[in-house]
Amino acid sequence: MARTDGNDLGYDTIAACGNNATILHWIRNNGTVDDGKLLLLDAGVEDDTLYTADVTRTFPVNGKFTEVQAKVYNAVLEAADAAFAVAKPGRKFHELHDAAMEVLAHRLEEWGLLPVSAEVSLTIEGGQHRRWMPHGTSHHLGLDVHDCAQAKAELYMWAELEPGMVFTIEPALYFKEEDMSIPEEYRGIGIRLEDDVLCTEDGNVNLSAALPRTVEGIEEWMAKLAK
Ligand SMILES: [Mn+2]
């Protein structure tokens, strides 16, 4: 589709099932797709204008999230929605990340995974929650998938959002199979939800909203595709 409807792939597709989804930039795209596991797909079409999309969805292979998978998924979704809520002109770019981390740290605290309080984890000296969410929540999107990534901090992280800017919102949680610091039920779950967002005069538009982004929406979508 990237080559028929667009110019090409925007970047190397990431297709990772189970524990592979907990490894960032898994572009080997090998491994098996297993019943009961989650499949993470991060893919984007580069349009004929050469601007690219960058979207991620995470699916249960058998079409139904388990209870713990849904719980983790909903925390990631809640973090994304918190970032969407501050994605408007006048807010600083780094506030997108701050809003998402606030949610994730509190959920990790509730689940008893954080060795400290969410409050401590959210301080600069803390950061314990980053064990399971080690990357940024947002990057600008344009001709390059990580557009202007080399820009100075005052023009990027510390800059104000302005109408016309396009960026991603992509919180995640990655629990590695070999992570002995967490209960077994979490291990091997990697979830990222990534949307492309246009900043407007009074808020934002989710450019990738046509793809389901809730547990129910994804399960319904998969049920339809399976017919
Ligand atoms: Mn991205």
Side-chain angles (χ1 to χ4, degrees):
M1 194 203 108
R3 294 188 181 100
T4 53
D5 292 353
N7 183 58
D8 203 347
L9 293 169
Y11 53 93
D12 285 337
T13 297
I14 298 166
C17 187
N19 197 48
N20 290 343
T22 70
I23 301 163
L24 298 188
H25 302 287
W26 178 265
I27 52 170
R28 286 187 213 167
N29 299 344
N30 56 8
T32 53
V33 173
D34 303 315
D35 188 17
K37 303 276 185 193
L38 297 172
L39 176 68
L40 182 154
L41 280 175
D42 183 340
V45 176
E46 182 180 82
D47 189 66
D48 286 330
T49 58
L50 305 184
Y51 282 80
T52 191
D54 180 6
V55 180
T56 307
R57 290 293 185 270
T58 304
F59 312 86
V61 170
N62 64 18
K64 283 271 175 208
F65 287 87
T66 65
E67 205 173 311
V68 64
Q69 287 167 351
K71 181 175 84 166
V72 176
Y73 189 95
N74 281 325
V76 172
L77 175 64
E78 188 189 349
D81 288 344
F84 270 93
V86 297
K88 46 186 155 190
R91 303 299 291 259
K92 296 257 172 39
F93 190 76
H94 71 79
E95 289 183 67
L96 300 168
H97 181 64
D98 299 346
M101 290 312 97
E102 174 92 26
V103 170
L104 294 183
H106 281 95
R107 292 296 158 267
L108 290 163
E109 178 186 46
E110 271 174 33
W111 302 338
L113 305 190
L114 270 186
V116 296
S117 67
E119 206 179 319
V120 168
S121 194
L122 288 164
T123 61
I124 291 171
E125 304 78 47
Q128 284 83 355
H129 60 285
R130 302 283 281 157
R131 177 184 182 98
W132 303 290
M133 188 345 190
H135 57 72
T137 300
S138 296
H139 58 81
H140 282 284
L141 196 57
L143 291 172
D144 193 348
V145 65
H146 293 151
D147 218 41
C148 302
Q150 302 303 316
K152 289 179 188 164
E154 61 264 36
L155 299 173
Y156 204 111
M157 279 302 157
W158 293 90
E160 281 186 5
L161 296 174
E162 291 175 28
M165 284 181 171
V166 177
F167 45 84
T168 67
I169 289 180
E170 50 176 311
L173 282 172
Y174 311 103
F175 299 114
K176 291 185 187 293
E177 223 153 62
E178 62 272 24
D179 189 344
M180 297 300 150
S181 74
I182 53 174
E184 201 175 341
E185 58 174 351
Y186 292 95
R187 295 182 207 153
I189 293 179
I191 294 173
R192 181 164 65 251
L193 172 61
E194 178 175 32
D195 283 302
D196 297 346
V197 188
L198 168 68
C199 185
T200 60
E201 292 294 337
D202 53 1
N204 62 69
V205 177
N206 181 355
L207 302 174
S208 42
L211 293 171
R213 56 196 293 284
T214 62
V215 163
E216 302 72 34
I218 286 174
E219 288 182 348
E220 271 169 36
W221 188 30
M222 291 186 73
K224 245 182 265 167
L225 291 174
K227 273 182 194 162

